[in-house]
Amino acid sequence: MIYYYFFAVSLAIALLMVKRFPLWICSAVLVYFIVVFVEDGFIPPDYENYLQVFENTFRVEGWPYYKTITVASVEELYVTFNGFVKFTIADDFVTFIMVNAALSLLLYYLLVRKMLVYHRAASFVLLLPVIYPTGNYFLLRSSLPFFLGLLALAYLANKKWWPAVVLFVIGFNIHNQYTLSFFLAGVAFFYLKRGIAREDFKTVNRVLLISAVILAVFLGFANVFQDLIAQIFSFLPNSNLTSTKINYLETEKQSYRYTAVLSIGVFPYFCYKILKHKLNYREWRVFYQDNNKDLMFVYLLFALSLAGAAINIGFIDNSHVAGRLSRFSDYVLTLFILHTYFKLYTPRETYKLIILFIVLISPLIYPAVYMDIEWDTIF
């Protein structure tokens, strides 16, 4: 990971110097880093489980067309994706990881290509330190669903909810940890669509805040409602897998995550300040030139920040569950809110220096991602 870390820092420095950011070239280098990880012998804890899923995948008649033999708990659609790559592209696990990474970056490009230019470079750099290696090497199931969900948010911002629903459904059927976040994003959209049309923004903000408080209280007592929660999600194709994971509410030991400070305090505050500025200066464009799409996207991010805060408050003493359930909101807000806030509230190009600083300290914030680096041998 040491080479990857210096690559991420180098790109962050390049962001300070260049006006046009070569996303395609940088993306190709990112995909190649999968080979570097493997050849350097850096094998994360879940690597063997995902390798077993891939190697043991075999064809069957009818849906899901592929099955596997593994001790790991994985969704059917993820196994189908493994089988498709294995039997049509290459019977090699490293190639599978590279295909997964390339598709993820393609979805990212489809998302940012219509955004204001500075978001493309800034969000790409913020993708590097944690989100890319976690999704495309540490936790392989989580990458494609995350970017599918991101693209779905863009469709919701454009008030095209059918494509968004399709992307959400595909996403949580690859990895069901995003189910709650996708559900909350969909509910928020249908309320915001009506609330924004009435331009009663104080009421909209109040309803979102009250809803977040209710969600936090409900999740705080989620272990009492395990049977009810299991019934609610029983309609899902992987309901047995979901029911198994609901047991984490009881079996996980008491623990806390210090990054919850970001989810509970920093992200909601930054989102609120950006939203407030947007409502006060309606001609200001945050993400898109289309003002209606821009306002909806900002509101969706604000709603996600409140949902992430509610999840972390509800599971304040269960870091494992809180981290999993709020991963989507945490990652989305890392990509789009941090640099936007600092660009708005710091002088001129200072936000680029802040992005560089975030990349530099990322091993301190998420040490598990850089656990193979022996810093004392470097400095």
Side-chain angles (χ1 to χ4, degrees):
M1 286 295 291
I2 187 63
Y3 300 114
Y4 180 81
Y5 174 71
F6 285 123
F7 170 71
V9 171
S10 300
L11 276 189
I13 295 173
L15 173 63
L16 300 173
M17 302 178 180
V18 300
K19 292 185 177 180
R20 295 184 63 85
F21 210 69
L23 285 184
W24 285 107
I25 296 175
C26 296
S27 298
V29 176
L30 280 183
V31 173
Y32 173 73
F33 257 105
I34 301 299
V35 178
V36 176
F37 292 156
V38 176
E39 289 185 349
D40 280 357
F42 175 50
I43 305 300
D46 288 335
Y47 184 91
E48 294 297 331
N49 289 335
Y50 289 118
L51 174 62
Q52 185 185 60
V53 170
F54 182 83
E55 290 184 339
N56 293 344
T57 298
F58 57 93
R59 286 193 175 105
V60 295
E61 292 294 329
W63 180 258
Y65 303 114
Y66 303 95
K67 287 188 178 295
T68 190
I69 301 171
T70 176
V71 296
S73 299
V74 292
E75 291 78 0
E76 284 185 348
L77 194 55
Y78 176 73
V79 176
T80 300
F81 175 52
N82 274 257
F84 177 79
V85 173
K86 178 179 179 178
F87 291 103
T88 60
I89 299 178
D91 186 10
D92 176 72
F93 186 57
V94 175
T95 302
F96 167 76
I97 304 176
M98 295 175 71
V99 169
N100 184 73
L103 287 175
S104 298
L105 292 170
L106 175 62
L107 291 171
Y108 167 80
Y109 175 76
L110 293 175
L111 170 74
V112 300
R113 66 192 175 98
K114 292 187 177 180
M115 285 185 169
L116 299 181
V117 175
Y118 78 92
H119 287 294
R120 301 174 191 174
S123 64
F124 188 86
V125 172
L126 288 169
L127 177 76
L128 299 178
V130 175
I131 299 172
Y132 178 80
T134 299
N136 290 291
Y137 196 60
F138 284 74
L139 304 170
L140 287 176
R141 282 181 298 163
S142 65
S143 181
L144 274 181
F146 171 72
F147 288 101
L148 287 169
L150 260 183
L151 193 58
L153 290 181
Y155 276 113
L156 290 181
N158 210 22
K159 298 181 181 179
K160 296 179 179 179
W161 63 274
W162 267 112
V165 169
V166 171
L167 292 173
F168 279 152
V169 170
I170 295 174
F172 71 66
N173 275 289
I174 294 176
H175 197 4
N176 62 13
Q177 78 171 12
Y178 295 116
T179 304
L180 179 61
S181 294
F182 290 172
F183 173 75
L184 293 175
V187 171
F189 164 74
F190 284 109
Y191 171 71
L192 290 171
K193 184 179 179 182
R194 292 168 175 78
I196 293 175
R198 294 194 299 267
E199 296 196 359
D200 185 3
F201 300 116
K202 288 186 178 180
T203 300
V204 172
N205 295 345
R206 194 178 301 117
V207 169
L208 290 177
L209 182 59
I210 293 173
S211 299
V213 171
I214 294 172
L215 177 63
V217 173
F218 175 77
L219 294 177
F221 293 94
N223 58 333
V224 179
F225 304 108
Q226 282 193 55
D227 292 338
L228 174 62
I229 296 173
Q231 289 180 3
I232 292 174
F233 290 104
S234 61
F235 70 94
L236 296 176
N238 302 291
S239 57
N240 58 330
L241 187 56
T242 304
S243 298
T244 300
K245 292 187 176 181
I246 289 174
N247 291 329
Y248 287 156
L249 298 175
E250 282 187 347
T251 58
E252 286 297 311
K253 296 180 180 179
Q254 189 178 60
S255 56
Y256 302 89
R257 58 191 296 256
Y258 60 85
T259 51
V261 173
L262 293 172
S263 305
I264 296 172
V266 176
F267 289 144
Y269 176 74
F270 282 10
C271 284
Y272 173 74
K273 294 292 287 185
I274 293 169
L275 174 62
K276 184 178 179 181
H277 194 82
K278 172 68 179 176
L279 294 177
N280 289 338
Y281 303 95
R282 295 294 292 276
E283 73 280 1
W284 178 51
R285 301 297 187 266
V286 190
F287 297 101
Y288 297 99
Q289 287 294 345
D290 184 310
N291 194 41
N292 292 326
K293 182 177 182 179
D294 192 49
L295 180 59
M296 176 62 82
F297 194 73
V298 172
Y299 251 119
L300 284 170
L301 294 184
F302 179 55
L304 274 177
S305 74
L306 293 178
I311 290 169
N312 279 273
I313 293 172
F315 296 116
I316 190 69
D317 61 345
N318 194 329
S319 63
H320 181 76
V321 173
R324 280 174 172 264
L325 294 182
S326 67
R327 181 169 290 154
F328 182 71
S329 59
D330 287 349
Y331 283 4
V332 170
L333 299 171
T334 297
L335 288 182
F336 296 113
I337 289 301
L338 290 180
H339 70 272
T340 303
Y341 175 83
F342 290 118
K343 183 175 174 60
L344 177 61
Y345 288 104
T346 58
R348 296 178 64 84
E349 302 292 283
T350 308
Y351 80 97
K352 294 182 178 180
L353 290 173
I354 296 174
I355 290 175
L356 173 59
F357 178 71
I358 292 172
V359 174
L360 284 170
I361 66 170
S362 55
L364 298 177
I365 303 174
Y366 296 95
V369 178
Y370 297 91
M371 57 186 173
D372 72 314
I373 300 178
E374 297 179 1
W375 297 101
D376 57 335
T377 63
I378 299 173
F379 301 105

